[in-house]
Amino acid sequence: MTVPEKIACQEAFMASDKMIMVATIAFGMGIDKANIRNVVHYDVPRSLESYSQEIGRAGRDGEESHCMLYLCAEDLHLRESFARGDLPSKQSVTALLDQVFAKTPEITDRGLSIEGNMYAEAKEFDIKQTVLKNIYAQLELRFDLLRETTPKYNSYSYKSLVTTGRDTTLAAKAIRAIAKKASSLTHIDVDRAARTNGLSRNEIVAKLNAWHDKAYIDLRTSGVVNIYRVLRDLPSTGEEKARIIDELYAELELREQQDLNRGQEVMDLINGSKCFSRTLAQHFGDGLPGGDTECGHCSWCETHKPVKVITPQPWPFDENVFQSVLRAVPDRDDARYLARVAFGIGSPRVTAAKLSSNAVFGSMEQYDFRVLLEKFEGVCNGANGH
């Protein structure tokens, strides 16, 4: 939906007493409507924290309200895909860090620094940008190697609104000398403008920003370049690199398992033999009012029968579908990439290859992801002579 459509729906919902809103969890953020009578979960919440917040939208006026959760075994695929989708292959992380550690730091106004581009790195190494941010954060917080500073742009252009000819400062002259006009926009190589005139890059950028603030120009920027200050010598020996990569990847694997565990906690709540309200309260280190052991109105308290655990029957492995994935994706360098395609998990590499619209994408979503990973590892290892 477009932003205006979303705003119109939200405003209508807030004003109405008789409206059903069907939305993702993003809609719930910041919604404070006192008389929501029902909250329905059509699939599995990601965690008890999420579940608690989402059902907390109901009955803020103190009147009776109802929360219902629909659950089927097939929905667990969706929960698993969210958790599995963030973990890149170890070889992707290794290739990324090999590139980072091989960079030669340069002296800048921010100290000894190296540059990077998260957008390009995500595509090149098939690592989601959220995971890339986590990797760089670990390089700072855990290994004391790099610290992210304010990023810069590598492309500056502007549309002239009034003349800047009266500005005779050195920075203004440097900009005009290097400016190249194409159609309605004027393009500036800020690094060249600074270097040619003995100025700092910051002086050129500050002048462009000043012109924009004074409405002399309409400034456009693009191409974010991330800047990292080097805190100590980057690892150079194979042994030191391997140690950092092993420790960092172990942390990423732990995060994946924690995501899966949080989903399991929701399942344990629904399938447990205990009051839902008390279980939620205890999860947050609290209890029921007055020391009660039951709330009296959840599914357990009403029936004292646990919700039956439904486990999907394992599907017999379909070799024909497996082979169709291999035919559609000729790459044999990353088993996790192949498993993601078969399971239906998006990634930068999947997007670049335009596989999300291919019939094989998600064609094996009914299988355990670990089974698929093992099968594709066998193919990739065989292709690489292992």
Side-chain angles (χ1 to χ4, degrees):
M1 297 175 69
T2 65
V3 172
E5 287 175 320
K6 292 178 182 179
I7 293 173
C9 285
Q10 179 170 322
E11 290 177 347
F13 176 74
M14 296 299 289
S16 174
D17 291 334
K18 299 178 180 179
M19 178 178 282
I20 297 172
M21 177 64 75
V22 181
T24 67
I25 58 173
F27 175 77
M29 298 299 180
I31 297 297
D32 189 4
K33 183 174 170 64
N35 60 344
I36 294 176
R37 296 273 70 88
N38 301 282
V39 171
V40 178
H41 280 89
Y42 197 65
D43 56 30
V44 190
R46 292 192 65 174
S47 67
L48 288 180
E49 287 79 7
S50 297
Y51 181 59
S52 180
Q53 181 195 42
E54 291 152 16
I55 63 175
R57 301 293 174 191
R60 294 194 172 195
D61 56 6
E63 299 297 323
E64 182 177 311
S65 302
H66 300 267
C67 298
M68 184 177 293
L69 186 148
Y70 285 95
L71 182 65
C72 67
E74 288 75 12
D75 287 341
L76 303 184
H77 155 73
L78 181 63
R79 174 170 61 81
E80 183 179 5
S81 70
F82 278 123
R84 303 285 185 192
D86 281 346
L87 182 67
S89 66
K90 190 172 183 180
Q91 65 198 65
S92 291
V93 175
T94 300
L96 166 71
L97 293 183
D98 280 344
Q99 184 185 91
V100 170
F101 295 156
K103 291 180 179 180
T104 301
E106 297 181 355
I107 299 175
T108 69
D109 54 356
R110 311 177 196 201
L112 206 58
S113 304
I114 60 173
E115 295 183 357
N117 185 310
M118 283 199 180
Y119 177 76
E121 289 169 347
K123 291 181 64 176
E124 181 177 357
F125 301 108
D126 198 26
I127 303 175
K128 291 185 176 180
Q129 289 196 39
T130 52
V131 182
L132 270 176
K133 287 182 179 292
N134 175 260
I135 290 173
Y136 278 109
Q138 286 197 58
L139 292 177
E140 174 185 347
L141 300 174
R142 186 169 181 175
F143 300 103
D144 198 33
L145 289 171
L146 303 173
R147 178 170 297 155
E148 186 173 10
T149 64
T150 305
K152 69 178 184 181
Y153 296 100
N154 62 9
S155 177
Y156 284 82
S157 58
Y158 64 82
K159 183 177 182 180
S160 295
L161 303 177
V162 298
T163 181
T164 63
R166 294 180 180 178
D167 189 337
T168 59
T169 61
L170 187 56
K173 291 178 180 178
I175 292 171
R176 287 194 291 267
I178 213 78
K180 290 185 177 180
K181 188 167 184 179
S183 186
S184 62
L185 290 179
T186 300
H187 301 279
I188 303 295
D189 185 336
V190 295
D191 292 303
R192 184 182 167 200
R195 187 172 56 251
T196 304
N197 294 273
L199 299 172
S200 71
R201 188 181 195 278
N202 284 346
E203 288 175 291
I204 300 296
V205 172
K207 179 57 66 176
L208 289 170
N209 285 327
W211 284 354
H212 178 78
D213 292 341
K214 293 177 180 178
Y216 293 170
I217 63 173
D218 179 13
L219 184 63
R220 318 282 176 87
T221 56
S222 61
V224 175
V225 176
N226 302 97
I227 311 296
Y228 304 95
R229 186 154 60 87
V230 179
L231 303 178
R232 63 183 178 88
D233 290 344
L234 297 178
S236 56
T237 66
E239 183 179 349
E240 187 179 9
K241 290 179 183 178
R243 177 185 65 81
I244 291 174
I245 291 169
D246 287 345
E247 290 184 21
L248 194 150
Y249 196 74
E251 177 67 23
L252 294 177
E253 289 181 311
L254 177 62
R255 285 174 175 265
E256 178 190 60
Q257 190 57 52
Q258 288 173 336
D259 278 347
L260 292 170
N261 291 345
R262 281 191 284 269
Q264 188 58 48
E265 286 176 340
V266 178
M267 299 297 297
D268 292 342
L269 168 73
I270 303 303
N271 298 130
S273 300
K274 193 175 179 181
C275 168
F276 289 7
S277 297
R278 184 185 177 195
T279 301
L280 281 174
Q282 289 178 336
H283 178 76
F284 295 104
D286 204 347
L288 295 179
D292 290 345
T293 58
E294 294 190 346
C295 67
H297 50 72
C298 69
S299 294
W300 168 258
C301 290
E302 288 183 347
T303 66
H304 286 95
K305 294 180 180 179
V307 175
K308 183 180 178 182
V309 178
I310 302 174
T311 304
Q313 293 296 317
W315 286 64
F317 195 80
D318 193 326
E319 186 65 29
N320 290 330
V321 178
F322 180 70
Q323 291 298 325
S324 69
V325 175
L326 294 176
R327 286 192 296 272
V329 190
D331 310 82
R332 299 292 179 266
D333 59 327
D334 190 341
R336 185 170 285 269
Y337 168 60
L338 291 167
R340 280 174 167 175
V341 173
F343 198 70
I345 300 174
S347 75
R349 187 174 179 182
V350 171
T351 301
K354 299 180 180 179
L355 286 167
S356 56
S357 58
N358 192 298
V360 301
F361 184 75
S363 58
M364 305 188 78
E365 66 178 12
Q366 67 270 40
Y367 298 98
D368 188 308
F369 184 85
R370 290 164 296 184
V371 171
L372 294 179
L373 188 57
E374 184 178 337
K375 291 281 188 180
F376 286 116
E377 282 175 345
V379 172
C380 291
N381 290 340
N384 294 317
H386 297 299

